[in-house]
């Protein structure tokens, strides 16, 4: 596995642990709808959160959350729509980003940005 994939998986594992430690239930990880994906689908207090996880070793090229561009937002929204329909979700939804900065062995910082974006209307 390429190093960036290993780092990304490590970051997703840290993000899932973070959410669970704060009382979230994990509904799905790495959920796919065709080529679109959602890193984590979690729920808490009647809200379903579609979570995009971005991991960087450091902020030399900017904060991890800055990598979520309009194309990615649209992709996440389309996947979330498919997840909602397939699972007949009848709850509030929101779109979060969890930015993980660090690396295995060195620890990490986690920034959970709730309601990070509202997808544009198609």
């Amino acid at each position: 596995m390429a190093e960036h994939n290993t780092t990304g998986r490590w970051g997703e594992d840290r993000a899932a642990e973070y959410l669970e430690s704060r009382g979230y239930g994990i509904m799905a990880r790495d959920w796919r709808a065709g080529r679109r994906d959602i890193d984590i689908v979690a729920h808490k207090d009647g809200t379903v959160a579609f979570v995009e996880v971005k991991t960087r070793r450091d902020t030399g090229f900017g904060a991890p959350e800055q990598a979520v561009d309009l194309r990615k937002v649209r992709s996440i929204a389309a996947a979330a729509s498919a997840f909602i329909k397939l699972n007949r979700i009848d709850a509030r939804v929101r779109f979060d980003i969890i930015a993980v900065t660090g690396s295995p062995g060195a620890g990490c910082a986690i920034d959970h940005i709730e309601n990070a974006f509202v997808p544009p209307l198609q």
Side-chain angles (χ1 to χ4, degrees), residues 18 22 26 31 37 53-54 66 75 79 83 97 100 103 105:
Y18 169 88
R22 280 153 180 79
I26 304 297
W31 191 84
D37 73 305
V53 179
K54 288 297 178 190
Q66 292 175 321
S75 177
F83 185 91
I97 297 173
V100 180
S103 61

Side-chain angles (χ1 to χ4, degrees), residues 46-73:
T47 298
V48 174
F50 294 94
V51 183
E52 176 67 10
V53 179
K54 288 297 178 190
T55 306
R56 299 287 181 269
R57 290 188 176 277
D58 57 49
T59 57
F61 291 105
E65 63 272 17
Q66 292 175 321
V68 181
D69 59 12
L70 182 58
R71 190 180 108 248
K72 186 63 178 174
V73 166

Side-chain angles (χ1 to χ4, degrees), residues 102-114:
S103 61
C108 66
I110 294 177
D111 185 15
H112 182 189
I113 306 162
E114 295 182 6

Side-chain angles (χ1 to χ4, degrees), residues 82-105:
F83 185 91
I84 289 165
K85 288 175 187 170
L86 181 68
N87 294 286
R88 297 182 175 150
I89 301 294
D90 183 21
R92 291 183 307 250
V93 300
R94 70 172 195 245
F95 296 88
D96 295 358
I97 297 173
I98 293 185
V100 180
T101 307
S103 61

